[in-house]
Amino acid sequence: MGRVLLFQGLVGLTEAMYLWLVAAGLSLIFGVLRVLNFAHGALYMIGAYLTYAVFRAFGGNFWVALLVGPVLVALIGWVMEVFFLRRVYRADVAFQLLLTFAFVLILDDLVKLVFGPVYQSPPTPRSLSGAVMIFGSPLPTYHLFILAAGGLVALGLWLFLEKTRWGLLVRATAADREMARALGVRSSRLFTGVFMLGAWLAGLGGALSIPVRSISPGMGELIIIEAFVVVVLGGLGSLRGAFIGSLAIGLLHSYGIVFLPVFELALAYLVMAAVLVVRPWGLFGVREA
Amino acid sequence: MAASRRTTRRTFLKTGAAGLAALAAPRGFGATPDLKLKKPIKVGCQTILSGPLGGYGEFMRKGAVLAMEEINASGGVGGSPLELNFRDEELKVDVGVKNARYFVDDWGADFLIGIDSSAVALAVGEIMPTLNKILIVTHGATEKFNEDLVYKKHIKQCFRICVPVYQDGIASAFIAKDLPVKKWATISPDYEYGHTSWKMFRATLKRMKPEVEFVGESFAKFGTVDFSSHISKVMGAQPEAIFSTEWGGEAVTMVKQAKLFKVFEQTKAFMIAMGSAMDVLQGLGADYPDGVWASGRYYFGYPDTPQNKKFVETFRKRWQSYPSYVSETSYAALYAIKKAVEKAKTLEIDPVIAALEGLQVDRPAGPCTIRKEDHQAIYAVPWGRIKHDPNFPMPILGDLRVAPTDEYYRKPPFPPVEA
């Protein structure tokens, strides 16, 4: 029984990785730009579709598609930030929500127009369709790959924020936007860069999902809701919070299916509510003065 | 196993003979008499047209459009042409009810057909007395529709042309009893259809083979994109066989992920009740493991009658694809409407209902009777095993087996299912 439960946890952690990639970008963008990007789930969806399109165009090479797809999503992020979002930074939060929600609708319909309303199901790359025995059960190689990819992204983001000059500027701007600007940080370029990075992360999540999940319009709405829960739970703007929050929601989901199947959907929200009662700023968030 | 083979042959001969008889009958003989009904006769069809299950709606639309074109080319319904209108049901109860109201109140529908979700079928069924039009369900499978709404609550406007969960939960047990496995588990949808099928399967199988055990179950919410946690939970109970009622794109995703988790190597049998739907066959393609037991509400390779072959060929010519089961059920629904209206010689509700009750419809799936007591169409649909045949662009079913309809269709007064 113990081994079965450990295995169940491991499976939950792989599901958490997709969530982490979306939540990381969402949290990063909020931390720096102070915009709650409703369209982040749509970017995840676009990432899946563009990667699939590249996959088909390049004769079914998943690895090429995985490199190209998320970069295309980052470029869409550039268009969104430079031509649209930039105009509403000073506006009321309601305008930001309206604008990003408009992107959800536009991108959803665009996908329906181009790829059709019906789901697509690309094949799993042969090199990753094996399985490895862990805790007495076969865990798909692809799931191990997802765990590694999610972990690498976490490590990469940490190194970037802590060890590079750009990372320092990002942290400074997130901590005190006015002060950073006064000290000469060119915030408009920084904002564009951060938004593109966030879009790339969501696109990567979508791209990684296509070999095992089916893709369909509206797939972004499912994940954005969970990503919001993660970000609120972990603390808005905190990457560490997004990481721990994703793992927590992934495990809750996976153990919920075993122990509380009737209640599994509500579980994540209950935990979020409980955390918010005790720490309204989230597990790793910073208390607003 | 021998017993079920024998029934297969008998049923087969019977349906074959009926098919020939139907062909000999004066079909399309001269022009249909003009009954001077209102023109055109409007049929509102709602089905799932978007999302992971959207493939179903496309197939339903194609079957209905084909029937409409054929009927209109040969004189329409009593001289009036058919007109179709489609709306996305989204598998949501409120949307389904809104669609039904729109069709009747705003568009002027004379008949309603379609509906994929059991919950939507029940909700729309409940308002049919208010709308006072005839609804013919072509997919939603809950037994509560015919047993409760029609038989117990006497909502006479409701009919169903497709086989209900008896196919998923009872006919499946006729297959399962002959398999060399005792420990069963399920991964199925967490709504009416999934729960009710599993309950019927357990009850029927236990009755026929008392030594079976049901060791695990996991029900996945509508919209599940990752079945990993469900698969690991169920496999943790070490079942010898899996029974599933996942369908459409969710069945495709589940099978792909189950393959990754090596479920097909660890179990001896796998059954997917709606696994022979065309969008699943096409969606999985070469990835569909050999030997999986699958069924549907019609399979294009059964029965082996000239009428069925003609339907498959016409459908392929029109749509460049083999028909899915919802294509056949929506096709059959329009022909049932034609036959009933021409028999009643009016569009008034009560005479048309009377004409539909007990009506014999010769459909591609074989001859069927619409049972008077619960307005349920009775016909046989096979289960079979997935195989890959180079002559077909998708996997097909081999080793077809048919349970006798008399044994697998529940009968009035519908005693409760004990599981």
Side-chain angles (χ1 to χ4, degrees):
Chain A
M1 191 64 187
R3 279 149 70 92
V4 170
L5 285 185
L6 283 174
F7 186 75
Q8 188 74 13
L10 203 57
V11 171
L13 291 183
T14 64
E15 289 189 36
M17 288 304 146
Y18 301 101
L19 201 51
W20 149 241
L21 289 171
V22 175
L26 189 67
S27 194
L28 197 65
I29 289 171
F30 183 83
V32 176
L33 281 67
R34 299 280 147 189
V35 169
L36 208 46
N37 184 22
F38 229 75
H40 218 65
L43 291 173
Y44 167 84
M45 172 192 70
I46 286 285
Y49 271 99
L50 287 177
T51 307
Y52 182 47
V54 175
F55 173 81
R56 283 199 304 196
F58 283 83
N61 189 325
F62 175 65
W63 305 107
V64 172
L66 189 58
L67 282 178
V68 178
V71 172
L72 295 177
V73 180
L75 292 177
I76 291 175
W78 180 80
V79 172
M80 279 175 70
E81 202 280 335
V82 169
F83 294 100
F84 298 94
L85 274 179
R86 191 170 280 188
R87 292 159 205 283
V88 295
Y89 287 143
R90 282 164 205 284
D92 191 64
V93 176
F95 285 96
Q96 302 178 353
L97 277 182
L98 266 179
L99 180 65
T100 53
F101 189 64
F103 270 104
V104 174
L105 300 178
I106 292 168
L107 290 174
D108 260 5
D109 279 351
L110 208 62
V111 160
K112 272 186 205 166
L113 273 178
V114 178
F115 296 92
V118 176
Y119 71 94
Q120 317 261 348
S121 175
T124 316
R126 289 279 167 242
S127 53
L128 288 178
S129 57
V132 183
M133 291 302 281
I134 296 178
F135 303 130
S137 301
L139 184 74
T141 320
Y142 194 83
H143 285 57
L144 279 179
F145 168 68
I146 291 292
L147 282 172
L152 276 178
V153 166
L155 184 69
L157 279 178
W158 180 78
L159 286 175
F160 166 73
L161 287 175
E162 298 294 326
K163 307 286 175 194
T164 66
R165 195 182 131 71
W166 265 81
L168 183 71
L169 298 183
V170 168
R171 280 185 296 140
T173 310
D176 192 327
R177 195 198 284 224
E178 296 307 317
M179 183 59 81
R181 191 173 291 153
L183 293 173
V185 177
R186 289 176 61 183
S187 57
S188 70
R189 269 174 62 189
L190 186 82
F191 280 19
T192 312
V194 166
F195 195 84
M196 286 174 74
L197 177 62
W200 179 82
L201 286 167
L204 182 66
L208 286 171
S209 80
I210 67 168
V212 281
R213 299 175 167 187
S214 62
I215 57 181
S216 60
M219 64 189 270
E221 272 114 85
L222 294 168
I223 200 157
I224 190 68
I225 297 173
E226 283 196 323
F228 270 125
V229 173
V230 162
V231 169
V232 171
L233 183 70
L236 278 163
S238 160
L239 275 182
R240 195 190 315 161
F243 190 67
I244 304 288
S246 302
L247 299 188
I249 297 296
L251 289 176
L252 266 180
H253 176 68
S254 152
Y255 283 125
I257 282 174
V258 175
F259 294 112
L260 277 172
V262 187
F263 219 55
E264 170 239 319
L265 270 193
L267 219 52
Y269 299 98
L270 280 180
V271 169
M272 178 181 81
V275 168
L276 287 184
V277 168
V278 187
R279 282 179 69 93
W281 50 93
L283 288 174
F284 296 90
V286 182
R287 189 178 203 160
E288 299 274 340
Chain B
M1 194 170 281
S4 67
R5 282 250 167 83
R6 212 162 43 236
T7 11
T8 308
R9 197 169 56 238
R10 200 162 51 222
T11 328
F12 169 70
L13 285 173
K14 228 163 38 189
T15 47
L20 283 176
L23 212 78
R27 244 176 109 237
F29 187 72
T32 320
D34 193 349
L35 298 174
K36 307 252 183 307
L37 304 167
K38 81 169 236 203
K39 297 188 184 206
I41 295 174
K42 293 177 159 187
V43 180
C45 176
Q46 57 172 319
T47 177
I48 174 75
L49 288 163
S50 56
L53 304 167
Y56 269 76
E58 261 311 295
F59 275 113
M60 195 185 289
R61 190 181 64 78
K62 287 172 177 166
V65 167
L66 180 64
M68 178 194 72
E69 288 171 354
E70 283 180 13
I71 289 171
N72 287 349
S74 62
V77 174
S80 305
L82 278 180
E83 190 178 322
L84 287 175
N85 190 351
F86 294 91
R87 287 178 84 82
D88 189 353
E89 163 196 344
E90 299 176 33
L91 303 180
K92 290 179 188 153
V93 167
D94 56 330
V95 176
V97 168
K98 212 165 63 187
N99 284 343
R101 288 191 186 282
Y102 166 83
F103 277 144
V104 174
D105 295 339
D106 298 341
W107 185 62
D110 302 293
F111 293 92
L112 301 182
I113 65 166
I115 305 187
D116 295 287
S117 146
S118 287
V120 175
L122 292 176
V124 174
E126 291 275 4
I127 63 161
M128 289 321 290
T130 327
L131 298 178
N132 202 24
K133 295 287 174 198
I134 291 167
L135 163 71
I136 302 184
V137 168
T138 58
H139 188 199
T142 172
E143 82 289 356
K144 293 192 176 71
F145 185 77
N146 59 316
E147 297 183 7
D148 293 355
L149 251 50
V150 181
Y151 182 75
K152 292 183 184 138
K153 289 189 184 173
H154 308 292
I155 301 183
K156 57 182 185 179
Q157 291 88 348
C158 292
F159 288 83
R160 178 162 48 204
I161 200 80
C162 65
V163 49
V165 287
Y166 309 155
Q167 185 71 24
D168 319 82
I170 300 178
S172 53
F174 280 76
I175 302 294
K177 74 172 170 30
D178 293 331
L179 302 176
V181 288
K182 282 185 197 140
K183 287 155 80 181
W184 285 86
T186 193
I187 300 172
S188 285
D190 195 8
Y191 41 81
E192 175 67 30
Y193 164 62
H195 287 281
T196 206
S197 310
W198 177 233
K199 197 169 151 193
M200 280 187 184
F201 178 75
R202 282 185 298 152
T204 318
L205 186 55
K206 194 87 190 168
R207 202 177 62 230
M208 293 191 288
K209 192 175 175 181
E211 67 270 31
V212 290
E213 287 174 67
F214 302 98
V215 295
E217 55 179 39
S218 202
F219 291 96
K221 302 281 180 292
F222 172 58
T224 296
V225 290
D226 206 323
F227 288 88
S228 301
S229 291
H230 295 285
I231 294 168
S232 54
K233 174 191 174 187
V234 161
M235 291 311 289
Q238 298 184 317
E240 295 171 315
I242 306 279
F243 168 85
S244 177
T245 49
E246 291 295 342
W247 52 288
E250 294 185 353
V252 171
T253 313
M254 183 205 56
V255 170
K256 273 168 73 174
Q257 292 168 356
K259 272 186 89 168
L260 288 177
F261 277 90
K262 306 295 167 202
V263 171
F264 296 94
E265 282 91 328
Q266 295 172 276
T267 52
K268 290 184 200 145
F270 205 110
M271 299 182 85
I272 309 175
M274 293 296 107
S276 79
M278 198 49 59
D279 72 320
V280 179
L281 295 175
Q282 292 172 347
L284 279 168
D287 280 339
Y288 214 148
D290 273 302
V292 169
W293 284 96
S295 188
R297 313 211 177 276
Y298 157 80
Y299 172 65
F300 77 90
Y302 181 92
D304 191 9
T305 57
Q307 192 187 351
N308 186 34
K309 280 192 180 127
K310 184 170 162 271
F311 167 70
V312 174
E313 279 320 302
T314 325
F315 189 93
R316 285 182 67 198
K317 231 174 261 162
R318 180 69 178 81
W319 303 111
Q320 289 77 49
S321 160
Y322 283 87
S324 191
Y325 64 76
V326 281
S327 314
E328 196 272 347
T329 56
S330 59
Y331 181 90
L334 290 183
Y335 272 99
I337 288 173
K338 175 179 161 71
K339 200 165 175 186
V341 170
E342 288 176 357
K343 190 172 155 198
K345 298 190 169 56
T346 170
L347 280 177
E348 275 171 51
I349 300 304
D350 287 331
V352 178
I353 289 175
L356 275 168
E357 288 178 339
L359 190 74
Q360 300 269 348
V361 186
D362 288 316
R363 54 196 286 184
C368 88
T369 312
I370 299 175
R371 191 156 62 183
K372 189 172 187 306
E373 294 92 330
D374 64 342
H375 294 183
Q376 171 62 51
I378 315 281
Y379 64 105
V381 178
W383 274 81
R385 307 187 75 174
I386 293 297
K387 68 171 187 185
H388 296 271
D389 182 332
N391 296 319
F392 291 89
M394 72 277 162
I396 57 165
L397 291 185
D399 197 4
L400 293 186
R401 296 185 197 179
V402 185
T405 51
D406 193 43
E407 285 177 47
Y408 83 83
Y409 276 71
R410 275 163 55 77
K411 292 184 192 106
F414 304 113
V417 180
E418 310 281 357

